[in-house]
Amino acid sequence: MTLNTADFRQRALTNARYTADLIPQNAIVAGVARSPHPHARIKNINTAGALAIPGVLAVLTAEDFEGIRLGHNDSDEPVLTTVARYVGDEIAAVAARDQQSLLRGIEALQIEYEILPHAITIDDALDLPTSIHDSCTDNITDRFQAARGDWYEIESQVDIWVDNTFETAAVPHAYLEPRAAVVHVKDDCLELVCGSHAPSMMADHYRPIVASWGSQLEIHTPAMGGSFGAKWQHSTHLICLLFAHRLQQDVAIVLSRRDDMIAGRTRAAMRFKMRIGATATGKLLAKETMLWSDNGAYSLHGPAVMRAATFRADSLYRFAATRSEGQLIYTNNIPSECFRGLGITQSTFAQEQLIDELAKRLNIDPIKLRKMNTVCEGETTIHGWQVGSCGIVDCLDSISNRINQYRRNQTSATNNRYRIGYGVAAFIHCIGNRGYDQHFDRAYVKLTAMPDGRIRISSGEVELGCGTVEVLIKTVSHELAIDPQQLDVVLGDTAIGPHGMGSFASRTSFFVAFAAEDACRRFNQMAQHELLQNIEVTGIYQPDNVVVPDESGYGNISAAYTFGTHGCCVRVDSYTGKVSVEQYWAAHDAGKIVDINAAEGQVIGGVMQGLGYALTECTAVDDNGQLLNPGYLDNRVPTFADAVPVDVIFADTFENSGPAGAKTIAEQPIIPVAACVANAVHDAIGVRLNRLPINPERVWRTLNHDTNS
Amino acid sequence: MGSSASTIRPTQLPDLELFWPTHIDELIEHIKGGAKLLAGGTDLLLQARNQGQPQKLAWIGNIESMHNFAEQDEQWQVGAGISLGKLISNAAFRRAAPAIVDAAQLVGSVQIRNQATLLGNICSASPAGDTLPALLVHEAEVETAKSHSLLLDDFLIAPGQTALAPGDILLSVSLRGLRANEISCYYRHTERKALDLAVASVAIRLSFEDDGCTIAAARIALGAVGPTAMLAKQAAESLVGQPLTKKSIANCATIAAEICNPISDFRASADYRRLLIRVLVGDVINQIEKRVQLLP
Amino acid sequence: MNTRLILHINGNEHSLPDAWHGRRLLDYLRHELSLMSVKEGCGEGDCGACTVLVDGEPMCSCLLLGGVLANRSIVTVEGLSDDHRQRFAQLCEQHGGLQCGFCTSGFTMMSAWLAEGGSETGQNSSDKLLAGNICRCGVYQQLKKVIADLL
Ligand code: FES
Ligand code: FES
């Protein structure tokens, strides 16, 4: 089977158009003045010099966006700020006729700062004499606690504890297409064109703002060059919208790679203190987690990410009691945002290393220890998740088999310098989460019979390369018994609708398929008594077994759960500490696989990103909050030469609640990678790498018991 | 910390003023007028884009005499206009200067190597510039318009700083190709397999006696462990007059690690860089021994 | 200086307007000629999304000034043979050689170069030759198959 869809073909032929390809010739260009200081109050902005430059048309400052905030739950990010909270924070915006005037305009702004004490690390923030946001005096912006089971009773049964502290690094999403936005002025409507994985949600947030200016808003999403969780609300959108509204001309902004990295988003850096208790025979009993999450300067999805990281990974195993506490801390770093795997990627790095450690201490094979303790089909996990299909044991077995086979054929044995090691790590992940938003597990698909006889399928969801278009075309052509050539798909266009939550939490294809089925049912019904050209129906899907979890996160938050196990073989140069991944295996339970090519692509791509996260990526910041590596050269995302052979295995499962038995595969592949590599490194050289990235110097220092690693 | 700059300068290339001199005198006039010499432009355009300067460039593509690339009596002349790609694809040059080709092949990507020049690499005078240690072991001398030639070692002064006088320009570099019984090699340590900057690097050229194993002469140069690429003379001398042994190699590596002068930055700490030098010296010599076996 | 510069772009002669002498080829191709296959992923020579062939050799159009390309031939994806484009796209479909597609132009250009026998020393592995083209979606393994099938 191939990924043969019109959309894919257009991208493959390089005919697809991305935001920056759609800028009208005469568009006004916008740009942003960014703070060079990590924390400073803006005392004064003199815009006269900028406005005097020929070609400069207008300047916006915080006053123009009074009372407007970006963010989901804890809206705390101003569009333009009066207090700079990280290096790169947006202070003013300039609109000009051309790039050169724009550059001169931005440079001509005179901004007076009052420097404030700043915090780059979590510890600094907790000790900071000033608060980063007035509303949050101790810089702890969110706290979360969850406790399950009878802790003291269970604790008394524990024979062995393993514990450690783990630290993960902030990394940029580093999507290849830098952020861009175009606003078209169409009568009394502003049309925002930008890549986003959640256009309807953005429109919900922006519409009242644009309405207060007396204008309407539609959002149109063209092809998007990667998001991975980042391309959502952003100040550049509102800046362009307001310029377009004021100047009544089309406006465009395109960030440079450097600016995109300086003022983009990152995966939150986290510190875990975690311990796991078990019986002497290897039955897992208790897990305790304390988490500090570096929120960066603004919240965005920080609270959701922190909560997920605090406790969700527990559900993989049958713990009898858990205690978890999380804190979300403001720092003067780049704001964090969701990033493939939410916080689970971080917490799995900690949990799966502890499981590995326990296996070593108990002298039980790490695969066996996991098999003894993972949840099973039909069970309810400690956090109230009702597990439907569950292929975790299959996944563990296939990884075990692959490793054993590989090991037998392995010729390059460990020597004094190069040490070979094998590691595994497992995960659980949900599909959607009703606790986050009421729309989260609801999806809509609209079918419209067009005047020319074709059928238009529209959805507020977007195509991220996971095959959403493919799923829609397949479902509709099958249900309506119609030639796929007769179908058009429009995604993420708010003018056409319907509403769509967006591609979060690997939810899209799962929900869209069901909504499309429902739409087809309605379509066929109507077709019995209506002329074809009058038919427009919207199908809805919402799983019925899902609840809004309670305050402590308890409840069945997802219609189905996905599982997986990864394994890898590493070769560690014990002289330099350099880790090379020689072979990688990824076994996933994603339900019945609809499109094997797309599914494998997601896995291999996710593993590559995970290897970057594990080994080389980080945002390096100096004491003054200046980003030292704002580009692909120094922030080392994997290159072609770094590609590792990845063997993909899918467990043979069928999810009754899923479309055609499918679950999903999107975020999942990145989740266990860092833990898997760390476990293999431990196997190779006998020391535990509890900080990311696992770069050569850190490995070398750890190996030499240097505490500064 | 002052609050001098109002904002971070947006990354944007200013409109550049471009000149097309056709001979060297004309080029020098432009240089005196404040223009910078534009050859490949891979560093210069980045600089202009990130810092707003330079804004005037004099392109040497039309000056034929700056595109010489030829050998005479084992001396290779490489003109300022010659791209790294040209060096790499020249089979005779690959035989004559393996270390330089090793290094050139590690710079950027194919695309960048087709644009960037060897002399650009020299002028950038980055402590981590890959070709510099390799050029040092090949006894490179640079030639400037004011017609004196200067040892590369004397030309490199500090990060981004060279001995080029204001108004002068670099015309070419000459380097000594390998003779019989000689081999050279360059290695570097990076975190990624490609598209990276050297954290530490080592170039070595060894000359063997006719017996094929006693070292007659040696040159060792180190990169990214000091303000400029540097020759490690004592380390090289320690190898001379004896065959390579595990012990002599280890001794040489230790000396190199001792005499280098690295700094700590976000890419690596000073002591880790020293360690890398020690490891790399051994690795390069091993590689040279392998290459010796392949010699006809 | 009244220099008339002629660039041969995708087989057509273009006289480069003075204003573009000191600007990037990338912007000229995109803004003036609407050759939108050429993408800017970094503007720093690190990602390869802007790759074009200059006299048959791949270069980063983000680091080339229009004014240094007089009389040279420049090819973008739009100027490749339809055959090659279709073949590359079809292999990408078969192997999953792209996800978001933003890197695809760069890889298409590199594939065209390799298909014409492109190499630095006559014996480079495609791994090294393609290392200047970043795919953040990470489909290198699939692209390897695409390239292998193509050659
Ligand atoms: S845009 Fe030219 S290399 Fe990235
Ligand atoms: S497919 Fe997205 S960057 Fe390659």
Side-chain angles (χ1 to χ4, degrees):
Chain A
M1 193 189 312
T2 67
L3 294 158
N4 199 347
T5 71
D7 178 63
F8 190 92
R9 198 77 232 253
Q10 290 315 310
R11 274 180 285 145
L13 286 167
T14 76
N15 292 334
R17 289 294 165 256
Y18 299 75
T19 305
D21 304 336
L22 298 166
I23 299 175
Q25 280 286 348
N26 55 356
I28 304 289
V29 288
V32 179
R34 304 182 181 285
S35 169
H37 307 293
H39 197 194
R41 193 176 311 283
I42 285 78
K43 292 205 310 213
N44 186 40
I45 305 184
N46 186 343
T47 60
L51 287 166
I53 288 173
V56 170
L57 300 172
V59 175
L60 298 174
T61 61
E63 280 169 25
D64 298 286
F65 294 99
E66 195 74 55
I68 298 173
R69 291 286 181 274
L70 301 169
H72 187 67
N73 315 336
D74 304 299
S75 296
D76 63 5
E77 186 183 15
V79 180
L80 293 171
T81 189
T82 53
V83 177
R85 295 185 176 89
Y86 69 100
V87 173
D89 208 349
E90 292 98 342
I91 294 167
V94 175
R97 287 209 187 288
D98 58 89
Q99 291 291 348
Q100 297 302 323
S101 317
L102 177 64
L103 177 62
R104 280 192 284 276
I106 293 173
E107 287 186 317
L109 288 170
Q110 287 175 348
I111 305 172
E112 265 179 71
Y113 298 91
E114 174 194 340
I115 308 290
L116 302 171
H118 65 271
I120 296 307
T121 64
I122 290 169
D123 294 328
D124 288 352
L126 294 173
D127 287 342
L128 199 70
T130 41
S131 49
I132 294 170
H133 289 265
D134 288 343
S135 57
C136 177
T137 50
D138 59 0
N139 293 326
I140 304 175
T141 174
D142 193 23
R143 289 184 161 83
F144 174 78
Q145 271 192 338
R148 315 267 188 249
D150 184 340
W151 180 265
Y152 294 102
E153 170 58 28
I154 301 299
E155 193 185 23
S156 68
Q157 300 168 20
V158 169
D159 298 318
I160 175 172
W161 286 101
V162 284
D163 73 292
N164 209 335
T165 302
F166 299 90
E167 279 180 42
T168 67
V171 296
H173 300 73
Y175 36 71
L176 199 59
E177 178 206 16
R179 269 176 209 278
V182 182
V183 175
H184 298 288
V185 180
K186 288 196 173 145
D187 304 322
D188 57 350
C189 182
L190 298 176
E191 187 193 47
L192 170 62
V193 179
C194 65
S196 168
H197 59 276
S200 299
M201 292 278 290
M202 268 169 32
D204 290 349
H205 195 81
Y206 293 164
R207 269 200 184 113
I209 300 168
V210 175
S212 75
W213 306 335
S215 198
Q216 287 171 10
L217 169 75
E218 294 302 349
I219 298 180
H220 170 73
T221 53
M224 174 166 64
S227 168
F228 313 119
K231 285 181 184 159
W232 189 57
Q233 293 181 16
H234 200 257
S235 56
T236 48
H237 301 153
L238 287 165
I239 288 168
C240 287
L241 284 166
L242 188 53
F243 274 138
H245 171 71
R246 294 244 177 110
L247 301 168
Q248 284 298 302
Q249 290 185 66
D250 296 352
V251 177
I253 190 167
V254 180
L255 294 194
S256 67
R257 168 62 43 195
R258 183 174 272 248
D259 291 356
D260 192 296
M261 282 207 177
I262 289 173
R265 306 291 190 221
T266 61
R267 182 191 289 284
M270 293 186 181
R271 184 200 297 156
F272 296 86
K273 230 178 116 44
M274 194 183 278
R275 61 177 182 147
I276 288 178
T279 65
T281 55
K283 183 173 157 45
L284 297 182
L285 291 173
K287 178 183 167 192
E288 188 171 37
T289 305
M290 180 66 212
L291 162 66
W292 296 265
S293 179
D294 179 348
N295 196 29
Y298 299 107
S299 274
L300 306 160
H301 287 92
V305 172
M306 179 275 283
R307 277 156 201 264
T310 308
F311 75 106
R312 277 211 215 154
D314 308 348
S315 274
L316 180 58
Y317 300 109
R318 293 196 202 103
F319 290 109
T322 59
R323 285 207 302 204
S324 347
E325 197 182 327
Q327 293 186 352
L328 182 65
I329 295 141
Y330 280 130
T331 61
N332 296 111
N333 286 324
I334 300 169
S336 67
E337 180 53 295
C338 21
F339 190 158
R340 204 171 191 174
L342 213 64
I344 323 295
T345 309
Q346 290 95 316
S347 56
T348 298
F349 175 67
Q351 168 169 302
E352 289 301 293
Q353 285 204 71
L354 283 185
I355 298 287
D356 193 68
E357 187 64 33
L358 186 65
K360 294 244 150 72
R361 299 265 294 275
L362 292 173
N363 205 9
I364 299 176
D365 174 72
I367 298 260
K368 188 171 163 215
L369 180 70
R370 288 182 173 88
K371 276 169 74 178
M372 288 164 57
N373 289 286
T374 52
V375 293
C376 291
E377 180 161 345
E379 282 181 26
T380 299
T381 76
I382 189 160
H383 298 306
W385 299 5
Q386 292 161 20
V387 177
S389 62
C390 174
I392 184 67
V393 171
D394 264 12
C395 292
L396 285 161
D397 280 339
S398 29
I399 293 300
S400 171
N401 290 340
R402 301 288 158 124
I403 290 181
N404 288 336
Q405 220 168 36
Y406 184 84
R407 210 195 284 260
R408 274 198 299 277
N409 299 334
Q410 177 64 295
T411 44
S412 66
T414 288
N415 61 32
N416 188 34
R417 176 167 181 182
Y418 294 102
R419 318 275 175 80
I420 304 285
Y422 296 85
V424 296
F427 73 89
I428 183 170
H429 197 48
C430 52
I431 307 173
N433 167 16
R434 188 168 294 174
Y436 170 72
D437 188 283
Q438 50 148 347
H439 293 293
F440 214 122
D441 49 21
R442 195 180 300 162
Y444 307 87
V445 168
K446 186 152 88 178
L447 296 178
T448 310
M450 304 303 282
D452 60 1
R454 300 173 64 80
I455 308 263
R456 184 180 72 198
I457 311 170
S458 59
S459 159
E461 312 296 345
V462 296
E463 173 64 84
L464 293 183
C466 323
T468 304
V469 170
E470 172 80 3
V471 165
L472 283 170
I473 290 192
K474 251 194 197 151
T475 311
V476 173
S477 70
H478 179 253
E479 298 288 323
L480 299 187
I482 186 171
D483 179 358
Q485 299 298 329
Q486 290 300 305
L487 299 171
D488 296 310
V489 180
V490 181
L491 296 180
D493 190 323
T494 62
I496 295 171
H499 193 280
M501 170 69 200
S503 292
F504 293 95
S506 313
R507 53 180 292 285
T508 309
S509 46
F510 187 93
F511 294 108
V512 157
F514 275 132
E517 272 178 24
D518 184 52
C520 291
R521 240 185 329 271
R522 290 168 199 247
F523 191 101
N524 283 333
Q525 256 165 28
M526 257 184 112
Q528 291 173 3
H529 49 82
E530 230 9 291
L531 283 175
L532 191 64
Q533 64 261 36
N534 293 340
I535 302 184
E536 178 165 85
V537 295
T538 302
I540 303 178
Y541 170 70
Q542 176 165 28
D544 46 21
N545 60 336
V546 175
V547 299
V548 175
D550 71 14
E551 225 165 77
S552 74
Y554 188 90
N556 191 39
I557 58 172
S558 169
Y561 297 91
T562 55
F563 299 86
T565 307
H566 286 193
C568 70
C569 170
V570 300
R571 192 173 77 129
V572 183
D573 180 344
S574 66
Y575 290 5
T576 65
K578 190 162 170 170
V579 176
S580 321
V581 178
E582 305 279 288
Q583 174 66 45
Y584 204 95
W585 302 274
H588 284 261
D589 164 20
K592 186 115 193 93
I593 302 301
V594 183
D595 182 336
I596 187 78
N597 241 341
E600 277 187 6
Q602 285 297 314
V603 175
I604 292 168
V607 169
M608 282 314 295
Q609 277 181 358
L611 289 172
Y613 183 56
L615 296 170
T616 52
E617 293 168 26
C618 71
T619 51
V621 175
D622 71 9
D623 291 345
N624 266 327
Q626 313 289 326
L627 183 62
L628 299 168
N629 56 350
Y632 287 124
L633 186 61
D634 269 332
N635 206 331
R636 304 180 187 86
V637 306
T639 71
F640 207 102
D642 300 295
V644 163
V646 183
D647 214 347
V648 183
I649 305 132
F650 289 108
D652 184 16
T653 57
F654 190 94
E655 173 63 39
N656 284 323
S657 72
K663 291 199 265 193
T664 185
I665 187 89
E667 291 181 284
Q668 287 82 355
I670 201 175
I671 294 174
V673 181
C676 182
V677 172
N679 287 341
V681 170
H682 182 270
D683 187 48
I685 58 176
V687 295
R688 203 152 273 295
L689 271 299
N690 57 348
R691 284 182 68 185
L692 290 177
I694 303 173
N695 61 31
E697 179 164 359
R698 181 163 287 148
V699 174
W700 175 72
R701 287 195 183 284
T702 311
L703 199 51
N704 290 291
H705 308 291
D706 186 326
T707 43
N708 289 329
S709 65
Chain B
M1 180 178 64
S3 52
S4 46
S6 272
T7 69
I8 297 178
R9 184 185 177 281
T11 319
Q12 165 76 41
L13 192 68
D15 278 350
L16 301 167
E17 199 178 340
L18 190 60
F19 305 103
W20 299 263
T22 48
H23 41 84
I24 289 173
D25 297 344
E26 199 186 329
L27 169 63
I28 289 176
E29 283 312 304
H30 289 303
I31 301 293
K32 285 187 179 147
K36 289 268 183 227
L37 184 154
L38 175 67
T42 51
D43 274 347
L44 217 48
L45 293 191
L46 273 191
Q47 231 181 67
R49 187 163 181 262
N50 291 334
Q51 287 145 35
Q53 291 293 341
Q55 299 201 349
K56 284 195 213 169
L57 301 173
W59 183 56
I60 60 166
N62 292 343
I63 307 178
E64 210 167 307
S65 63
M66 293 181 84
H67 290 72
N68 56 324
F69 177 30
E71 188 227 330
Q72 202 178 18
D73 306 332
E74 288 162 352
Q75 282 298 119
W76 282 79
Q77 284 271 329
V78 183
I82 301 299
S83 68
L84 296 175
K86 286 245 162 60
L87 301 185
I88 297 167
S89 60
N90 184 313
F93 189 76
R94 286 205 297 275
R95 281 190 300 274
I100 296 173
V101 175
D102 289 342
Q105 281 189 285
L106 291 168
V107 174
S109 58
V110 178
Q111 291 94 317
I112 294 297
R113 295 193 282 273
N114 280 331
Q115 293 167 248
T117 59
L118 185 62
L119 272 87
N121 224 238
I122 294 175
C123 281
S124 297
S126 160
D130 285 302
T131 58
L132 303 176
L135 283 163
L136 285 175
V137 302
H138 278 274
E139 300 173 41
E141 291 181 26
V142 297
E143 197 172 335
T144 76
K146 294 191 172 157
S147 85
H148 50 254
S149 78
L150 209 60
L151 289 177
L152 178 62
D153 201 21
D154 297 331
F155 184 73
L156 302 170
I157 290 182
Q161 214 187 313
T162 66
L164 198 66
D168 199 2
I169 51 164
L170 211 53
L171 294 178
S172 67
V173 60
S174 70
L175 50 101
R176 172 159 103 51
L178 296 181
R179 296 176 184 151
N181 293 334
E182 282 186 342
I183 213 73
S184 72
C185 174
Y186 170 84
Y187 268 16
R188 67 175 191 181
H189 173 89
T190 54
E191 290 189 19
R192 267 192 310 213
K193 292 214 175 101
L195 201 82
D196 218 330
L197 297 175
V199 180
S201 63
V202 172
I204 300 180
R205 189 190 72 193
L206 296 182
S207 319
F208 294 88
E209 299 284 5
D210 285 340
D211 64 5
C213 61
T214 308
I215 304 293
R219 276 176 86 87
I220 300 182
L222 314 175
V225 286
T228 66
M230 59 192 280
L231 282 164
K233 293 208 177 82
Q234 291 119 290
E237 276 157 20
S238 77
L239 295 173
V240 177
Q242 51 176 330
L244 293 170
T245 62
K246 266 212 171 93
K247 221 172 125 201
S248 73
I249 296 171
N251 180 42
C252 169
T254 306
I255 298 173
E258 269 166 17
I259 60 175
C260 69
N261 186 21
I263 54 158
S264 293
D265 64 10
F266 75 96
R267 295 192 187 97
S269 68
D271 51 338
Y272 183 64
R273 286 192 155 107
R274 268 185 215 284
L275 171 274
L276 290 175
I277 291 295
R278 182 151 2 128
V279 177
L280 284 167
V281 166
D283 289 353
V284 173
I285 294 178
N286 285 339
Q287 181 63 23
I288 286 181
E289 289 186 294
K290 278 187 202 145
R291 285 183 184 177
V292 167
Q293 281 156 20
L294 294 176
L295 283 179
Chain C
M1 187 175 300
N2 62 348
T3 325
R4 217 171 93 83
L5 298 187
I6 302 293
L7 274 54
H8 303 268
I9 300 174
N10 293 338
N12 300 318
E13 274 194 11
H14 292 269
S15 164
L16 188 72
D18 285 4
W20 286 94
H21 290 174
R23 294 187 188 154
R24 304 187 300 176
L25 174 66
L26 169 73
D27 296 320
Y28 179 66
L29 296 174
R30 287 176 54 83
H31 299 169
E32 295 292 294
L33 306 186
S34 297
L35 297 170
M36 290 301 176
S37 75
V38 190
K39 299 284 187 257
E40 177 167 359
C42 70
E44 306 187 336
D46 297 332
C47 79
C50 67
T51 301
V52 297
L53 299 182
V54 177
D55 291 342
E57 295 296 322
M59 296 194 190
C60 296
S61 61
C62 69
L63 291 181
L64 280 171
L65 294 182
V68 307
L69 294 163
N71 304 320
R72 304 190 69 178
S73 124
I74 292 147
V75 176
T76 69
V77 173
E78 288 86 348
L80 295 177
S81 75
D82 214 41
D83 253 22
H84 184 86
R85 290 182 72 176
Q86 294 290 345
R87 182 110 190 282
F88 186 78
Q90 186 250 321
L91 286 170
C92 279
E93 285 180 10
Q94 191 182 324
H95 295 298
L98 61 105
Q99 281 173 16
C100 77
F102 205 73
C103 66
T104 308
S105 306
F107 280 107
T108 310
M109 292 314 297
M110 292 306 280
S111 76
W113 177 65
L114 290 170
E116 288 293 312
S119 122
E120 289 190 297
T121 59
Q123 51 177 356
N124 292 304
S125 71
S126 67
D127 285 18
K128 285 236 168 87
L129 296 178
L130 293 170
N133 292 71
I134 292 206
C135 173
R136 182 56 165 165
C137 299
V139 295
Y140 299 126
Q141 185 168 329
Q142 294 91 322
L143 279 162
K144 256 181 220 186
K145 291 190 200 157
V146 170
I147 300 288
D149 278 12
L150 194 77
L151 299 180

